[in-house]
Structure formats: C-alpha cells, structure tokens
Amino acid sequence: MTTLKEYLDTTGCEQTLKDLIELIAKQAGPIRDAFISNQKYTDTENVYGETQIALDKWSDAHLLKVLEKSGLVKELASEEQPEIVELNGAKAGYAVTMDPLDGSSLVQVNLAVGTIIGIYDGKAMQEGRNMLAAMYMLYGPMTTLTVTVKEGVHIFALNDKGEYMMMEKDIQIPEGKIYASGALKKDWLPKHKEFIEYLEGEGYKLRYSGSFVADVHQLLKYGGIFSYPAFAGHENGKLRLLFEANPLGFIITQAGGRISDGSQDILTITPEKLDHRVPIYIGSKGAVEKMEEMFK
Ligand code: AHM
Ligand code: MG
C-alpha cells in the first residue's frame, strides 16, 4: 500500500508543498486527541455570529501555531479569525485557507466532522481555481485524508502507526442519487424548492448530516448533489467561499464533478472579503448542470 509520502513523491509538486501537505495531514492526530477535553460551547462568537465550541478554538490555535513554526506559510486565513494572519519570516510563500473544524455543531453528538484546507501561492484571497492543492481530514469512524495536487483526487486512511495509507486512487464522482439541502424548508426560494422537488421525483434520497465536509465526502463515492442555497433574507446562503466552498469545490471538480452558485462556477468568483458567503450546489456534474438549466 502506498503511503501519503510515497504518493506525494510521485507528483510534480515542489518539496515545500509536499512538506506542507504532510505537516497539515499529521495534525489530525492532535486534533482528534483534543475532542474529549474540548466539548463545551464557549462564550465567544466567530465573525459569523456563531458560538464557537472549545474545539473550534483549539484546532484554530493549534494549526496556527504549527503553520507559523513551519516557516512554509506567509498568509493564513481562518474561518475562526477576523483578519488574515501574516506569518513573518517564512522561507516558502504559501497562503493557506482553513476551516479548522467544519461541522462543529456535531462534535457533542459524535458525528463526523473535518478540517478543510486550501493552499495557494502568495495570497489567500484569490479565485478558487488558482489553488495549488486542496485537502480535508475527516474525523469519522476512521480518520481519512482526501487530497488533490491537481493530479487526481486520492483518499488515504490514518493507521494506528500514524501513517496515511492510500485507500482510493484517482476517485471520480459518479452520477448517483443522494441529495442534501441546508436552510429551513419554509425559507427556500421558489427555484430551489422546484429543483429539490425535481430530485425527489427522480428518486434521489435525502442524506444531510449538518457537516458540509462529511455530506460532500459521501458524494465522491455515491454521487448526487449537496446544496446550501440562498434562502429568505440570506441571498448569499450560509457557507463561506474561501474556507468551505472553494477547497471542496476544487476537490470535487478535480474528481470530475462541479460546484456552482446557481449560475456560475464558484471557482471563478473573485473573493470580495474574507467572510464572503456563497450559495452552494456541489456534486455530480449532471446534477449541478441540471440545476443550472432549471435556474436559468
Ligand atoms: P461550521 O464550520 O461552524 O461547522 O459551520 C458550517 C456548517 C457546515 O458544515 C454545514 O453544512 C452547515 O454549517 C450546517 O448548517 P445548519 O445547521 O444550518 O444545517
Ligand atoms: Mg465550516
């Protein structure tokens, strides 16, 4: 079986990018270890007005510390930080975007959550399509790493020796029949409602957990579509362009799928601000194209 290191050595990546991917992937161990002692909600909110749980803050602080020490990252944009953090004295010039703990409302009920990472050259505020690499660690019954360096999408599992072993190589998203939609049904806009009714009519099965990273991960295997749409009073939806949409959109696109905001490829959107939100439709190519056709 191929380890993460062995796989990265077969790619055309710069050594510093390989080192950065390996370093971030390694943090799944400490983050998982922190689950038990960081369960509670804190009395602080992030910039989105969401109450943080201790594990959000712990993962954010941990990754910040590790990346600062690495000397590989010049700019760090985190969902849990109000501003971009400039890391002085870095020998490599990568910019990292991170959602340190996506799906955090599920931590207390022991459902799958994850860490989502985007890696760019230079600046964090760029179109998603400029990404050099994207990855996420998923903390489920297994800890897995899904990664792309623009040479296919591969899934690794962390073993009891702390090594990532390749489980799935060159995964391609099929045209399957799973669907998920966020926001309250009563707030859905007419076009979204019509699209969901179309999917149900076509025999799509609902699978929504409340963890974006886990809900999208299942699509790589089963196919289908996840959405967090624009909804009444929130024309940009809930999820964030930089931290959630772009890295997962990059991975799904590399696996032959698509990500759209309803009319355009999300990876072509220029971020206007750190907390830029975007309606999301992500998954199998055919399903996302059908949505765009119905939304016209
Ligand atoms: P988080 O990054 O603070 O966990 O918030 C994002 C999460 C996504 O993982 C998920 O898709 C969504 O928020 C769930 O929202 P809701 O509770 O409205 O269903
Ligand atoms: Mg999130």
Side-chain angles (χ1 to χ4, degrees):
M1 262 179 144
T2 313
T3 65
L4 175 62
K5 185 175 177 354
E6 284 165 353
Y7 162 68
L8 289 171
D9 282 339
T10 68
T11 67
C13 288
E14 301 265 340
Q15 188 57 45
T16 46
L17 182 57
K18 295 186 215 169
D19 292 345
L20 181 58
I21 291 170
E22 275 207 90
L23 179 69
I24 294 171
K26 220 188 256 174
Q27 305 318 312
I31 292 173
R32 259 203 114 114
D33 289 346
F35 271 55
I36 288 183
S37 50
N38 288 278
Q39 287 278 309
K40 293 277 172 288
Y41 278 89
T42 62
D43 52 7
T44 57
E45 288 183 348
N46 63 14
V47 282
Y48 308 93
E50 298 164 347
T51 306
Q52 294 171 302
I53 63 157
L55 195 58
D56 284 319
K57 294 181 83 168
W58 192 93
S59 312
D60 183 54
H62 176 74
L63 288 166
L64 170 61
K65 190 178 69 196
V66 168
L67 294 176
E68 187 164 27
K69 195 168 158 223
S70 74
L72 295 168
V73 179
K74 244 184 21 200
E75 269 196 18
L76 176 64
S78 167
E79 191 179 293
E80 302 302 332
Q81 299 281 343
E83 310 280 349
I84 290 181
V85 184
E86 308 278 346
L87 301 175
N88 296 323
K91 63 177 191 289
Y94 296 110
V96 168
T97 65
M98 67 177 188
D99 181 349
L101 201 80
D102 181 57
S104 48
S105 71
L106 299 182
V107 167
Q108 290 186 326
V109 292
N110 198 26
L111 289 179
V113 298
T115 297
I116 307 174
I117 302 283
I119 303 175
Y120 298 81
D121 201 9
K123 295 271 160 215
M125 293 269 281
Q126 295 193 45
E127 292 172 13
R129 62 179 167 187
N130 297 340
M131 228 173 286
L132 299 175
M135 59 197 276
Y136 58 83
M137 289 95 85
L138 185 64
Y139 314 118
M142 290 184 286
T143 297
T144 58
L145 167 73
T146 304
V147 62
T148 184
V149 295
K150 300 193 286 187
E151 296 182 27
V153 175
H154 315 287
I155 303 178
F156 296 82
L158 193 63
N159 68 14
D160 53 6
K161 296 188 194 96
E163 287 166 334
Y164 280 99
M165 308 304 292
M166 189 182 273
M167 268 197 335
E168 307 236 18
K169 191 175 162 55
D170 276 322
I171 190 156
Q172 286 286 310
I173 182 168
E175 288 294 334
K177 292 209 165 171
I178 296 291
Y179 84 94
S181 173
L184 295 183
K185 207 168 176 176
K186 71 174 178 58
D187 293 334
W188 288 353
L189 305 181
K191 279 179 174 172
H192 180 74
K193 189 165 177 277
E194 207 181 297
F195 177 59
I196 297 299
E197 280 165 3
Y198 161 81
L199 294 176
E200 287 172 344
E202 290 293 306
Y204 277 69
K205 193 193 278 184
L206 173 63
R207 292 276 176 87
Y208 183 84
S209 75
S211 162
F212 178 55
V213 63
D215 287 338
V216 172
H217 181 73
Q218 66 182 331
L219 299 180
L220 277 174
K221 183 127 208 120
Y222 298 129
I225 185 162
F226 171 94
S227 57
Y228 209 113
F231 58 102
H234 299 262
E235 72 274 16
N236 297 321
K238 171 182 179 185
L239 299 181
R240 279 110 332 194
L241 175 64
L242 258 79
F243 309 115
E244 288 150 335
N246 275 339
L248 289 201
F250 196 77
I251 288 172
I252 291 290
T253 303
Q254 287 289 320
R258 285 217 35 213
I259 185 165
S260 169
D261 69 352
S263 63
Q264 60 181 329
D265 183 343
I266 284 181
L267 299 175
T268 64
I269 299 175
T270 305
E272 284 157 17
K273 48 186 183 167
L274 209 53
D275 57 354
H276 192 139
R277 296 183 197 240
V278 70
I280 291 181
Y281 293 84
I282 182 171
S284 306
K285 193 159 178 260
V288 176
E289 280 173 0
K290 178 69 186 173
M291 174 280 302
E292 283 181 338
E293 188 192 308
M294 287 180 70
F295 274 35
K296 263 187 199 144

